[in-house]
């Protein structure tokens, strides 16, 4: 495996912090302004096949939360969100999960997350649902649906015009984008790292601390369903990602009738959305955390995770029902991927978004398999 990395703003801190939330509290007043401008993490991605560019959702205190990356030239371009009148300074800080290209390939949709504490968000406008017109390079706010609450993850049903929202406070929302109307807001008190839509349009998430079971929202009947399936060790897997988080670290529709679930403990499962049957597939490597899950054109499911020191890559063959370990993501110069947040497969190239590096900005990693 050949490993390379790309730095947008290669900012290095004088001190160490475990998360992006903690980093600003560690810097001096003199360093804070530079850190706000130059400290980036990469947290979400969407590949545009038509233009052959990769869009990157970032964590950035000054609102530069959407970038465009050209894999051919290695060049980054800011999309300029922080300079729009949509941007809410001090609170709009990241596109955490769910950056999505529409079926026509003309626009990106996303929700906005925050690094702000509850004391800075309560009673204030919450995170926006945003449309970005790629050709016009123009952002449009589709509304800020939930007062005081920000959006950790999104799924989109473009046929029905619905955005599904997983929020900072453990809420699940169903949002009509055209009419800018919130149809449902339910306090699930748990949230997956990202949500997932099955092949029949059902939307999946987690609910209830102490149980950490699955729910499914059926938009055709406008009803919530609570399948009788719970991940083994669900309670042990909860609260690892962040306080209040559920036991799902990575969640994808496999395109084969099944959903695939990765947990913060590093376990990997197959979920049948028709019967709610869970099948344990194994553990791709020994470490905890498994947020990177993506399907390649070759049919393999690629997996990236781990957080002890260096993130690792593996892949799973559904046909052969086996894992193949690809190795640690480390450059020959000794630089390593500390914490993978998301993975995209483009032909035989894996792009991995890095976040929460303790001492520097996150990099965009490129692995040739």
């Amino acid at each position: 495996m050949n490993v390379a990395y790309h730095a947008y703003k290669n900012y290095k801190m004088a001190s160490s912090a475990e998360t992006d939330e903690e980093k600003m509290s560690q810097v001096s007043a003199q360093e804070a302004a530079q850190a706000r401008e130059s400290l980036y993490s990469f947290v979400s991605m969407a590949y545009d096949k038509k233009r052959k560019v990769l869009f990157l959702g970032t964590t950035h205190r000054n609102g530069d939360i959407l970038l465009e990356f050209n894999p051919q030239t290695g060049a980054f371009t800011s999309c300029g969100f922080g300079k729009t009148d949509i941007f809410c300074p001090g609170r709009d800080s990241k596109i955490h999960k769910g950056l999505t290209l529409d079926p026509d390939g003309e626009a990106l949709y996303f929700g906005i997350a925050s690094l702000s504490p509850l004391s800075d968000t309560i009673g204030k406008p919450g995170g926006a649902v945003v449309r970005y017109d790629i050709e016009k390079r123009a952002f449009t706010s589709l509304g800020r649906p939930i007062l005081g609450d920000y959006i950790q993850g999104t799924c989109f049903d473009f046929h029905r015009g619905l955005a599904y929202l997983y929020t900072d406070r453990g809420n699940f929302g169903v949002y009509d984008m055209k009419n800018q109307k919130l149809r449902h807001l339910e306090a699930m008190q748990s949230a997956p790292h990202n949500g997932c839509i099955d092949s029949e349009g059902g939307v999946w998430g987690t609910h209830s601390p102490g149980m950490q079971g699955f729910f499914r929202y059926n938009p055709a009947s406008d009803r919530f369903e609570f399948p009788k399936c719970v991940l083994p060790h669900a309670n042990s897997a909860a609260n690892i990602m962040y306080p209040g988080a559920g036991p799902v670290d990575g969640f994808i529709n496999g395109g084969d009738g099944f959903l695939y679930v990765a947990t913060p403990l590093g376990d990997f499962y197959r979920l049948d959305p028709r019967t709610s049957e869970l099948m344990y597939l194994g553990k791709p490597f020994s470490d905890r955390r498994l947020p990177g899950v993506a399907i390649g054109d070759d049919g393999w499911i690629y997996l990236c995770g781990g957080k002890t020191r260096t993130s690792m890559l593996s892949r799973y063959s559904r046909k052969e029902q086996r894992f193949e370990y690809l190795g640690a993501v480390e450059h020959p110069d000794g630089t390593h991927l500390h914490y993978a947040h998301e993975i995209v497969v483009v032909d035989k190239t894996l792009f991995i978004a890095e976040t929460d590096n303790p001492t520097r900005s996150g990099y965009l990693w490129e692995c040739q398999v």
Side-chain angles (χ1 to χ4, degrees), residues 11 55-56 66 71 78 101 133 145 190 234 241 254 324 331 360 362:
Y11 183 74
F55 286 96
L56 305 167
L66 184 65
S78 170
L101 189 67
D133 187 304
S190 175
M241 296 185 289
E324 181 179 313
H331 191 270
R360 58 164 171 78

Side-chain angles (χ1 to χ4, degrees), residues 99-119:
L99 181 63
T100 304
L101 189 67
D102 72 12
D104 296 327
E106 296 303 322
L108 291 162
Y109 289 74
F110 59 88
I112 296 179
S114 184
L115 296 175
S116 298
L118 181 66
S119 58

